[in-house]
Amino acid sequence: MKKLLYVVAALIVLLVVGVVVAVSMVNTDDIKALLVEKTKESTGRELVIDGDLAWRFFPSIGFELGSLRLRDNPEFGEGDTVSIIGAEMSVALMPLFSKSIEVGDISVRGLTLRHQTKADGTTSLDDLTQSKEAEPASSEPKSTEGSSGTSAAGWNVRLAGIEIVDANVELIDLALNKTQKLGPVNFTLDGLELGEDNGFSLSLKFDDGEMLVEQQATGLLFIAEDFSRIALSDVSNGLNLQGSAIPNGAMNVQTDLALSYTVASKTAELSKLAVDIDGKTQLVGTSSVVLNNIPSIKFDLNIPLLDTSNFISESSASSNTTDDANSSSEAPGQEQEPDLTVLKTLNLDGTLTIDKLQHQKLHIEDIKQQVQIKDGILRLKELSANLYDGRLESNAVINGQKPVASYSMAAKLNGVQARPLLSDAADFDFVAGGLNVDLDLKGTGLTPTAIKKKISGPINATFTDGAIYGVNIPQMIRSAKATIKGGNKQQAQQEQKTDFSELVINSTLGKSLAKVNKMQMSSPLLRIDGTGQTHLINESLDFTFITKVVASLEGQGSKNDLAGLDIPINVKGSWTEPKVNLDMKKLFEGQAKEAVNKELKKALGDNEDSKKLLDSLGGFFN
């Protein structure tokens, strides 16, 4: 046994001595010259090797490469397409005899890649990436002798580490004179052992002249021994974003997560997700994706507080307001239906909850939304939220199976305080009171004009214990009374509002119109009935209201000489400038009719014979 060991040791010594002698006899300058020559022949490019070229064979097989540069295609200048400051790699020799591959540190320092594009679309890499004409294939079958005699089974693979230092990529658009820079990129993998967690770190910078991105990431990488599962755990990723496209000019995003992929089930799972944006907005949750022919995505996400002002800069908000004003005057032909083909490319099923939503002055709480996408149909199921002392419940469907999408929506709003809601949401503060709404709408087309033209369905609303601001109907009636009979009109200086105990509005949308079939307002002083319509495209108003005085306008104990009189009020104009006026003509007709009736009854007496006589004279007196 000892003799055998001596023999093996002697063979190893002879091998090492032979390798050392062989290496010492080889001139590395000759090898570099050969590499330069072959590169010139195959690519037409100049390869410049400034650094040393060295290798070793014991105790590991490896090489070291110094500075190297591949020059640009002369058509793109005299720079370097690819360059490195240095590179190194080695494989331990002795473990190979026990079916173990131990790779030493793989190190690449100062790698730089420059990619240039001309106006005609040609790039500085075309001559390297375009393959030459394929050589004719031999009709003889390739020999497979010996190919079946090798197998990777039983081999252990271990990597000491990977280090990429100061790598840079430049993307240059010569036509636009624009450069995008990625780098420096630094990446470290602290070893790679299958079946174990391996630490890694990454840092990079990206700058395109308009946006600057800086990233710092750390975590653990796991690869199963049979490569059936790959996972990232304890990932901490920080992003710093700066630029005009970023709300308020800058944003810091910190993300912690765990991510895994199982090969057999084609399933990627995202867990322990925690996102923090500028310390003001957080998102937590989980998600999974099954990579079938049509990916199936599931998620469960929560946002404790979402304030949209954190994502909308003041300049963007003002420009959006201008855009909205301009869009209202755009011709319908300039609008395009949104492309919803993406709804056919995935299946989605998830829940999003937002504890509190703040959008400018509007605030909503306890939002819960179930989202489903399947077969090109988006379903927003069971939306619920608490807002302004009330509650919203809604369901909506968008069908994107056809080029022009169709939609439907049913919603109920109960117990909401109308004036603060309308004021915060739309700067509309003309109506106050408790609000209940029930709607069931549908339509075809998702452009603003298509929605206004094609939307249809009922909207029923009831306001209780509220007021209409901007108009004081009792005051208008008192002024009209003073005009008719003469009197003091100085009492007109009062708050412009009309109180009511209930306001019912039953309306129907269709053919670009919102028709009010019934508008009925009840108050201690008045009863108002109205009908009319508003045009959804030109935003015109055309409503008529009939007001009846049921109690004294002067207060308790005063004589009510207008009781029972129909007082017509017209509302014309537009949504932004409504004009409310008494219909004086009809008012005088009603007043005259009432006066004539009184005189006739006084002359004829209030009996059956006088009533029959009045009936025979025509409906004017009834």
Side-chain angles (χ1 to χ4, degrees):
M1 184 67 179
K2 289 184 178 180
K3 291 182 179 181
L4 179 60
L5 292 176
Y6 289 144
V7 171
V8 172
L11 290 173
I12 292 175
V13 170
L14 288 174
L15 176 63
V16 172
V17 172
V19 168
V20 171
V21 172
V23 170
S24 64
M25 295 177 64
V26 176
N27 189 340
T28 57
D29 289 336
D30 293 339
I31 295 178
K32 291 197 290 185
L34 180 62
L35 290 174
V36 171
E37 179 184 348
K38 292 299 181 183
T39 300
K40 187 71 173 180
E41 289 179 2
S42 60
T43 67
R45 302 283 193 99
E46 182 182 356
L47 179 65
V48 180
I49 303 177
D50 297 322
D52 294 330
L53 175 63
W55 56 77
R56 59 180 179 273
F57 290 90
F58 192 83
S60 61
I61 303 172
F63 75 90
E64 294 181 16
L65 178 64
S67 174
L68 177 149
R69 295 177 291 134
L70 178 64
R71 304 291 287 172
D72 277 333
N73 185 322
E75 296 180 3
F76 289 86
E78 298 182 353
D80 298 328
T81 299
V82 181
S83 65
I84 61 172
I85 294 176
E88 180 181 352
M89 191 186 84
S90 64
V91 178
L93 180 61
M94 297 305 295
L96 294 175
F97 295 104
S98 57
K99 287 191 173 184
S100 180
I101 301 175
E102 294 186 4
V103 182
D105 288 322
I106 298 175
S107 176
V108 179
R109 300 180 303 280
L111 171 63
T112 299
L113 171 65
R114 188 168 68 161
H115 180 273
Q116 301 181 74
T117 304
K118 290 184 176 181
D120 61 3
T122 58
T123 75
S124 58
L125 298 181
D126 286 348
D127 60 327
L128 300 178
T129 58
Q130 292 174 353
S131 60
K132 298 181 179 180
E133 293 185 5
E135 298 179 359
S138 173
S139 59
E140 298 180 3
K142 295 181 179 180
S143 173
T144 58
E145 183 179 350
S147 62
S148 61
T150 60
S151 173
W155 283 81
N156 295 320
V157 179
R158 191 174 293 178
L159 174 64
I162 297 176
E163 183 182 42
I164 298 175
V165 180
D166 292 339
N168 291 272
V169 178
E170 283 187 291
L171 304 177
I172 303 172
D173 191 322
L174 298 174
L176 300 177
N177 193 26
K178 183 176 181 179
T179 300
Q180 296 177 322
K181 296 181 179 180
L182 175 63
V185 177
N186 293 282
F187 175 77
T188 301
L189 179 62
D190 300 329
L192 179 58
E193 187 170 352
L194 300 181
E196 300 290 339
D197 287 329
N198 305 276
F200 70 87
S201 64
L202 169 70
S203 67
L204 62 82
K205 182 182 291 186
F206 173 81
D207 188 355
D208 67 354
E210 297 178 356
M211 181 184 297
L212 175 64
V213 179
E214 294 180 317
Q215 180 180 12
Q216 300 280 343
T218 60
L220 299 174
L221 170 65
F222 173 89
I223 301 177
E225 293 183 358
D226 59 356
F227 297 95
S228 62
R229 182 173 177 270
I230 302 173
L232 298 174
S233 60
D234 295 339
V235 176
S236 176
N237 184 66
L239 283 176
N240 177 265
L241 310 174
Q242 299 179 37
S244 58
I246 305 300
N248 303 312
M251 180 180 292
N252 289 298
V253 182
Q254 176 63 41
T255 303
D256 298 330
L257 58 87
L259 180 65
S260 67
Y261 178 73
T262 304
V263 176
S265 61
K266 299 181 180 179
T267 301
E269 294 183 312
L270 176 65
S271 60
K272 300 180 180 179
L273 176 64
V275 181
D276 185 286
I277 303 174
D278 291 331
K280 299 176 181 179
T281 304
Q282 291 78 38
L283 180 147
V284 296
T286 59
S287 180
S288 66
V289 181
V290 180
L291 299 177
N292 295 324
N293 292 334
I294 297 180
S296 180
I297 304 171
K298 294 185 177 181
F299 67 88
D300 186 357
L301 303 174
N302 171 257
I303 301 175
L305 171 62
L306 178 57
D307 188 342
T308 60
S309 66
N310 296 326
F311 305 96
I312 303 175
S313 62
E314 293 182 4
S315 59
S316 297
S318 60
S319 64
N320 288 340
T321 303
T322 304
D323 291 343
D324 291 341
N326 293 336
S327 65
S328 63
S329 60
E330 285 184 351
Q334 296 176 300
E335 299 176 344
Q336 291 185 348
E337 287 290 336
D339 184 359
L340 300 182
T341 53
V342 66
L343 298 180
K344 302 177 183 178
T345 64
L346 56 87
N347 293 327
L348 180 69
D349 188 358
T351 301
L352 172 65
T353 57
I354 302 175
D355 297 342
K356 185 175 181 179
L357 170 65
Q358 183 80 37
H359 177 64
Q360 296 177 352
K361 296 183 291 183
L362 180 69
H363 53 90
I364 306 174
E365 298 178 347
D366 301 326
I367 301 172
K368 183 177 181 180
Q369 174 70 77
Q370 283 188 288
V371 182
Q372 289 185 348
I373 298 176
K374 189 174 183 180
D375 299 329
I377 300 175
L378 168 63
R379 292 180 171 86
L380 303 175
K381 302 174 63 178
E382 299 180 11
L383 169 63
S384 60
N386 295 325
L387 66 165
Y388 297 88
D389 299 332
R391 185 165 180 80
L392 168 67
E393 295 181 350
S394 175
N395 291 281
V397 176
I398 297 177
N399 189 334
Q401 294 178 329
K402 296 181 180 180
V404 178
S406 60
Y407 60 89
S408 62
M409 180 178 68
K412 290 186 177 181
L413 195 62
N414 296 314
V416 172
Q417 291 302 309
R419 196 181 193 200
L421 169 61
L422 296 174
S423 177
D424 290 351
D427 288 329
F428 181 91
D429 59 356
F430 298 133
V431 183
L435 172 61
N436 297 319
V437 178
D438 190 351
L439 61 84
D440 189 0
L441 304 175
K442 61 182 180 180
T444 303
L446 297 177
T447 66
T449 300
I451 291 175
K452 294 175 183 178
K453 284 184 176 180
K454 299 295 183 66
I455 193 169
S456 63
I459 301 178
N460 299 317
T462 301
F463 297 82
T464 57
D465 299 325
I468 298 176
Y469 285 81
V471 57
N472 189 326
I473 296 177
Q475 175 201 13
M476 294 175 66
I477 295 173
R478 283 191 291 266
S479 297
K481 175 184 175 183
T483 300
I484 295 171
K485 296 188 174 182
N488 182 13
K489 295 192 288 184
Q490 297 301 317
Q491 56 185 336
Q493 303 301 323
Q494 297 181 8
E495 184 179 6
Q496 295 299 297
K497 74 169 186 175
T498 301
D499 296 320
F500 60 79
S501 56
E502 184 179 64
L503 173 60
V504 177
I505 303 174
N506 294 338
S507 61
T508 303
L509 302 184
K511 298 181 179 180
S512 304
L513 296 174
K515 293 185 176 181
V516 176
N517 307 310
K518 175 185 177 182
M519 179 181 288
Q520 190 174 75
M521 190 185 83
S522 303
S523 76
L525 301 177
L526 306 168
R527 294 289 186 271
I528 300 177
D529 292 291
T531 59
Q533 64 185 32
T534 178
H535 201 283
L536 300 179
I537 295 179
N538 62 31
E539 301 180 357
S540 62
L541 299 172
D542 185 9
F543 290 93
T544 299
F545 302 96
I546 303 299
T547 302
K548 291 187 176 181
V549 180
V550 296
S552 174
L553 298 175
E554 310 300 335
Q556 187 174 3
S558 301
K559 181 180 179 182
N560 184 12
D561 50 4
L562 292 178
L565 181 63
D566 291 345
I567 303 172
I569 299 175
N570 293 329
V571 179
K572 304 287 185 179
S574 65
W575 295 357
T576 55
E577 295 183 359
K579 298 177 181 178
V580 182
N581 296 297
L582 281 173
D583 190 334
M584 298 302 293
K585 180 179 178 182
K586 290 185 178 180
L587 177 61
F588 278 120
E589 289 177 353
Q591 184 74 5
K593 173 183 173 182
E594 185 68 22
V596 171
N597 269 322
K598 286 184 178 180
E599 293 300 323
L600 287 173
K601 287 180 180 179
K602 185 186 296 184
L604 299 175
D606 190 8
N607 52 53
E608 289 297 324
D609 292 336
S610 64
K611 289 180 180 179
K612 290 180 181 180
L613 178 59
L614 290 175
D615 290 338
S616 66
L617 293 176
F620 176 81
F621 299 102
N622 296 317

